[in-house]
Amino acid sequence: MSPLPTPTIVKPAGAVRGAKPESKTAYDNLATAKRDQAFQQVRSRLGSPQQIVNVKISPQTSTGLTRIAKADVLPSTPLALSADALGAAAPDATDEDLDRLPDKFERRLANAFTPFYFVSAGDPDVFATFKDQSTLAIATLGQATPPISHYRVTPLGIKNGFGYLQIDYLTVWNRDEGLSVSTLCKVLLPALGLSIDGLGSHDFDEERSAVLVGAPASGSSYSSDAAAYKAYDFYLAAHEGVLPFDHSGYIPPANPVPAGQHVILGLSRSKHSTYPFNPDKFPIFRQEIIAATFAAIDAAFAAGEIDDTTYAALLYAATTVFFECVVERFTNQGGVYAGTRTNVGELTKPINGCSWINDPRIREKLTPTLWRV
Ligand SMILES: [Ca+2]
Ligand SMILES: [Ca+2]
């Protein structure tokens, strides 16, 4: 079975010393007044974490489409893929969601690119189905695995003889249990001027991924042969819209991905953030905040404001917060395809009982589109 890749986690040089037992001892033995003063020096250098965030935007895909979301663009990546055979085409022009794409084609295309999901073992939450109304309400509770997928296939336009479509894969959970952190971490976070507001528990959890696909068009008509499409860009949501933790991003594949090749995704436990790798212990704070915090500690030491023992204590504090505490959790139990897959139709014409896509929490994920021709 296809494996879930391991991520490269970049750590500042100070994290090596911060992880040593001597650094913990230095922290434990530091007098309270001296400790408070040292943290104050770090905080005054850091300023607001929100201001440090610097989203790495790259506004165009390899085929010249515009990326709309203000999200990181990761370096072109050889994504892990899982392959299966495409089913036979069924000629049927029924178009219930009135987007001029035959719905049977939408289904076949969505199946051809549907992600291969690794859900964490021990996730306390479950996927759900929702009532056919324009506010989100649970109809039935499912299980954590296999996932329940609600997909949308939407036309984006035709450019240079290619017809482009956006496929959204909504993975909507009943709940997010929030990130639980240790008592020590609750002390260290404010000491470093940090907060985990935005990572708490809440009802419903609207997670998603999306794929930009394209195929040669005939005139102004999209190809209705799912096998003719290739994926040119991916979008994965992780703490979407929560600035210090937002790891949502566009991922251009190293090569266009043919139909029948499925991107492999890992969903973190309780938070359900979507990553193209095993997210266990992946830092939730953005890299800029981590780097700035370690830089502030280094600067305080270089300026002679703190002695070597206090320096070690601060490195322990930062290493604990960023690499032990505010991290994703994930236990690998293998991957699966979504069991139930439902076409939600379009916002202007929901189908299959999916009026709930017009709940503002879902609608904002579906509009505007992630790409523009
Ligand atoms: Ca349609
Ligand atoms: Ca559609």
Side-chain angles (χ1 to χ4, degrees), residues 54-94:
N54 179 25
V55 177
K56 296 175 283 297
I57 295 170
S58 176
Q60 288 216 316
T61 69
S62 61
T63 54
L65 270 67
T66 305
R67 295 189 178 103
I68 305 291
K70 188 172 183 293
D72 290 322
V73 176
L74 279 64
S76 133
T77 309
L79 286 162
L81 300 166
S82 174
D84 72 352
L86 288 179
D92 179 344
T94 304

Side-chain angles (χ1 to χ4, degrees), residues 94-103 106 153 343 346:
T94 304
D95 177 24
E96 278 194 63
D97 62 345
L98 305 178
D99 60 1
R100 303 172 69 185
L101 301 174
D103 299 345
E106 293 189 39
V153 178
N343 187 347
E346 300 294 322

Side-chain angles (χ1 to χ4, degrees), residues 23-35:
S23 299
K24 179 183 183 327
T25 306
Y27 175 84
D28 290 341
N29 293 341
L30 204 59
T32 307
K34 199 172 174 185
R35 182 194 295 173

Side-chain angles (χ1 to χ4, degrees), residues 5-361:
T6 306
T8 307
I9 295 175
V10 180
K11 295 187 180 182
V16 175
R17 188 172 177 194
K20 291 193 153 102
E22 305 88 85
S23 299
K24 179 183 183 327
T25 306
Y27 175 84
D28 290 341
N29 293 341
L30 204 59
T32 307
K34 199 172 174 185
R35 182 194 295 173
D36 291 349
Q37 193 188 359
F39 277 126
Q40 171 58 41
Q41 270 145 353
V42 173
R43 286 199 303 274
S44 64
R45 280 197 154 79
L46 259 180
S48 159
Q50 309 277 347
Q51 289 170 336
I52 301 166
V53 171
N54 179 25
V55 177
K56 296 175 283 297
I57 295 170
S58 176
Q60 288 216 316
T61 69
S62 61
T63 54
L65 270 67
T66 305
R67 295 189 178 103
I68 305 291
K70 188 172 183 293
D72 290 322
V73 176
L74 279 64
S76 133
T77 309
L79 286 162
L81 300 166
S82 174
D84 72 352
L86 288 179
D92 179 344
T94 304
D95 177 24
E96 278 194 63
D97 62 345
L98 305 178
D99 60 1
R100 303 172 69 185
L101 301 174
D103 299 345
K104 284 260 171 67
F105 158 70
E106 293 189 39
R107 162 169 287 275
R108 192 155 178 267
L109 186 75
N111 283 339
F113 289 96
T114 194
F116 191 65
Y117 293 105
F118 282 68
V119 173
S120 174
D123 201 301
D125 307 311
V126 295
F127 289 99
T129 64
F130 304 94
K131 291 183 181 169
D132 189 14
Q133 59 183 48
S134 60
T135 51
L136 207 49
I138 303 279
T140 63
L141 291 176
Q143 298 170 313
T145 185
I148 294 174
S149 169
H150 289 98
Y151 66 86
R152 178 184 69 161
V153 178
T154 289
L156 296 174
I158 291 170
K159 183 187 176 90
N160 299 333
F162 265 65
Y164 290 98
L165 307 170
Q166 173 172 329
I167 314 175
D168 297 277
Y169 296 99
L170 302 173
T171 38
V172 190
W173 298 74
N174 68 324
R175 198 174 155 71
D176 172 332
E177 292 302 324
L179 186 77
S180 58
V181 300
S182 67
T183 309
L184 170 63
C185 196
K186 283 175 187 158
V187 172
L188 295 178
L189 278 161
L192 289 167
L194 301 168
S195 152
I196 52 169
D197 286 356
L199 296 180
S201 63
H202 50 85
D203 281 342
F204 302 116
D205 198 18
E206 313 89 44
E207 300 293 342
R208 59 167 172 156
S209 60
V211 189
L212 170 70
V213 300
S218 46
S220 61
S221 294
Y222 293 93
S223 170
S224 58
D225 176 8
Y229 283 81
K230 286 183 175 169
Y232 291 93
D233 214 14
F234 293 84
Y235 178 86
L236 308 184
H239 310 288
E240 200 168 35
V242 190
L243 199 58
F245 318 111
D246 197 339
H247 289 281
S248 305
Y250 290 97
I251 306 182
N255 297 109
V257 176
Q261 297 280 326
H262 307 268
V263 64
I264 290 177
L265 302 179
L267 309 183
S268 67
R269 185 159 71 234
S270 294
K271 297 304 300 172
H272 315 130
S273 307
T274 304
Y275 297 99
F277 47 69
N278 181 329
D280 196 42
K281 290 218 156 184
F282 186 76
I284 299 180
F285 273 106
R286 282 182 62 98
Q287 196 60 45
E288 308 92 293
I289 294 171
I290 297 173
T293 304
F294 278 92
I297 294 168
D298 287 349
F301 181 57
E305 293 167 9
I306 52 174
D307 60 29
D308 189 67
T309 307
T310 309
Y311 179 50
L314 290 176
L315 291 176
Y316 165 74
T319 303
T320 302
V321 164
F322 292 125
F323 301 111
E324 299 295 331
C325 175
V326 188
V327 294
E328 302 285 6
R329 316 279 179 190
F330 183 88
T331 305
N332 196 345
Q333 61 176 339
V336 289
Y337 290 107
T340 310
R341 305 176 201 172
T342 303
N343 187 347
V344 299
E346 300 294 322
L347 289 165
T348 48
K349 184 72 170 70
I351 60 173
N352 298 320
C354 295
S355 301
W356 51 268
I357 59 173
N358 274 306
D359 182 290
R361 285 168 287 189

